[in-house]
Amino acid sequence: MKVTIDGHEIEVEPGTTILQAARMIGGESVPPAMCYYSKLKGSGGKCRCCLVEVAKGSEADPRPMPKLMASCVTGVMDGMEVKSISSPRVVEARKSVTEFLLINHPLDCPVCDQAGECDLQNLSYNNGKEATRFKEEKRTFEPENIGDKIQLHMNRCILCYRCVMTADQITDGRVHGVLNRGDHSQISTCVSAAIDNEFSGNMIDVCPVGALTDKTFRFKSRVWFNKPFNAHRDCDKCCGKTTLWMFGDEIQRVTARKDIYHEVEEFICNECRFDHKDTKDWVIEGPRKFEKFSVINQNNYTQPLQKVVINTEAQILKGRDQDRYKISMKNIPYKAEESKK
């Protein structure tokens, strides 16, 4: 069946969702997604970031759908026409959804370990508004240790349910989930530090914000100071294919490899993630490539930098030397004739 998204036509298999079809096309037409995860069954339909306008339902029923649809859970029909970035309704809706997601989210990007690789930062940059209209008090939680190497910052959580689905589908038993309802909902465990299964570290990788952090990497460095390398090792528990985040010759953290949509390609075990921080334990394949505008790619000092020259009129700087003299010798009485020397 054929579907058209922002003027781009593509042929897909039955059962394909609009979001999957958009990802096949690529480019700016791909809707953002904070809760959908292709590796997790049942994900999607919660964050509403991927709303699109269906201008034509199908060849059999060409009527447009009256409401914006969540592209991650809406299947395509033969002849369907979809507007993503080309629809003013969609653009405004994504701004509104972003505003809702940021209602309780703290502005702690300067101290958050997720800064520089945060999907919410990317969403805010592309769809966020300049100012907030929320004047009520934000809900706050104390940081919680839900595992020996995982810390939960519920203040940053957007309730995407990815970590819950990960624990459900790739671990032996889930011991955490969503407590309470409505605006009181929160991710937590019944017993502190109860998460100890062998694949629990993958919850850190699937989290789109800084709610779940790696305690072994916490406050150690920033992602743009690290150089990521693809590496692998023989592991009897997982695939052993990882990304090493290195500062010089030191491995500061180990994560699973991710695709262009920041989704894990293959889940890895905790032994590979936490216990092997020596370069001798790995076969390093080479540096990992990132999208062109990634903050990680900005840490490139091999490019020549042009000197910045600011042409300023002389009268604008008049008196600057006197001010500098006063500031540097503020304990000595100022005399105008001395400043001319």
Side-chain angles (χ1 to χ4, degrees):
M1 56 179 62
K2 294 182 179 179
V3 59
T4 304
I5 302 176
D6 286 342
H8 302 280
E9 186 177 271
I10 187 173
E11 191 166 346
V12 298
E13 296 292 330
T16 305
T17 63
I18 297 176
L19 178 59
Q20 292 170 343
R23 289 185 174 183
M24 294 177 188
I25 296 174
E28 295 183 349
S29 297
V30 180
M34 299 294 291
C35 66
Y36 173 77
Y37 215 79
S38 61
K39 309 298 187 300
L40 300 175
K41 298 178 181 179
S43 64
K46 300 173 182 64
C47 70
R48 318 306 288 181
C49 292
C50 63
L51 293 175
V52 294
E53 179 182 349
V54 180
K56 179 181 177 181
S58 64
E59 289 292 348
D61 186 1
R63 293 177 299 174
M65 295 185 180
K67 296 182 179 180
L68 300 181
M69 306 300 294
S71 61
C72 62
V73 292
T74 304
V76 301
M77 301 294 290
D78 189 27
M80 177 181 284
E81 295 181 6
V82 178
K83 294 182 179 180
S84 179
I85 197 67
S86 62
S87 171
R89 288 177 61 197
V90 171
V91 173
E92 187 60 31
R94 290 177 184 172
K95 289 182 179 180
S96 300
V97 171
T98 304
E99 187 177 11
F100 273 115
L101 290 178
L102 293 173
I103 279 180
N104 286 304
H105 198 84
L107 186 60
D108 60 352
C109 299
V111 298
C112 180
D113 283 325
Q114 191 81 357
E117 54 181 2
C118 177
D119 292 335
L120 189 58
Q121 278 185 326
N122 297 337
L123 182 70
S124 302
Y125 181 79
N126 294 323
N127 302 283
K129 296 185 177 181
E130 296 180 356
T132 179
R133 295 179 291 176
F134 187 74
K135 298 182 179 180
E136 287 74 19
E137 184 177 356
K138 294 177 180 286
R139 66 175 192 168
T140 56
F141 302 86
E142 290 294 328
E144 181 181 359
N145 291 319
I146 60 174
D148 59 337
K149 294 183 174 66
I150 305 175
Q151 189 166 69
L152 170 65
H153 286 253
M154 189 59 214
N155 294 345
R156 305 169 186 166
C157 181
I158 60 171
L159 292 172
C160 67
Y161 293 76
R162 284 183 180 179
C163 63
V164 179
M165 293 181 180
T166 300
D168 259 338
Q169 297 177 24
I170 70 170
T171 65
D172 295 334
R174 176 171 61 87
V175 294
H176 82 293
V178 181
L179 307 182
N180 305 321
R181 293 190 177 192
D183 61 348
H184 295 284
S185 298
Q186 67 178 96
I187 302 291
S188 185
T189 59
C190 296
V191 181
S192 296
I195 299 178
D196 61 354
N197 62 74
E198 190 57 41
F199 285 83
S200 62
N202 292 287
M203 298 191 303
I204 302 172
D205 282 341
V206 302
C207 182
V209 294
L212 293 171
T213 54
D214 180 356
K215 292 166 68 174
T216 65
F217 181 68
R218 185 171 169 78
F219 300 138
K220 182 177 288 188
S221 181
R222 290 299 197 186
V223 293
W224 53 84
F225 293 140
N226 295 153
K227 293 298 182 183
F229 290 85
N230 282 342
H232 67 272
R233 60 179 291 270
D234 292 331
C235 180
D236 57 355
K237 299 177 183 177
C238 67
C239 62
K241 299 178 181 178
T242 63
T243 297
L244 307 181
W245 298 79
M246 302 182 65
F247 186 81
D249 294 330
E250 177 190 0
I251 300 177
Q252 294 199 331
R253 70 166 177 164
V254 180
T255 64
R257 299 183 186 181
K258 296 185 178 182
D259 59 20
I260 60 173
Y261 300 111
H262 308 159
E263 294 185 3
V264 171
E265 295 177 358
E266 294 184 74
F267 294 109
I268 63 174
C269 65
N270 285 0
E271 181 182 349
C272 290
R273 184 184 302 274
F274 298 121
D275 298 338
H276 293 277
K277 298 294 181 68
D278 193 333
T279 54
K280 297 178 181 178
D281 298 336
W282 298 94
V283 177
I284 300 179
E285 302 168 9
R288 183 166 180 79
K289 294 183 180 180
F290 284 84
E291 57 263 31
K292 179 181 178 182
F293 298 105
S294 171
V295 68
I296 301 169
N297 281 342
Q298 303 307 312
N299 187 19
N300 185 353
Y301 303 105
T302 61
Q303 300 176 357
L305 299 177
Q306 297 181 354
K307 185 177 180 180
V308 178
V309 179
I310 302 177
N311 296 322
T312 308
E313 297 180 3
Q315 59 266 27
I316 295 179
L317 299 177
K318 188 177 181 180
R320 183 64 57 83
D321 293 334
Q322 293 181 3
D323 293 338
R324 194 177 294 116
Y325 182 83
K326 294 178 184 178
I327 294 171
S328 61
M329 305 181 68
K330 59 182 180 180
N331 295 326
I332 300 176
Y334 172 72
K335 294 181 180 180
E337 60 272 10
E338 292 182 4
S339 64
K340 299 178 182 179
K341 294 181 181 180

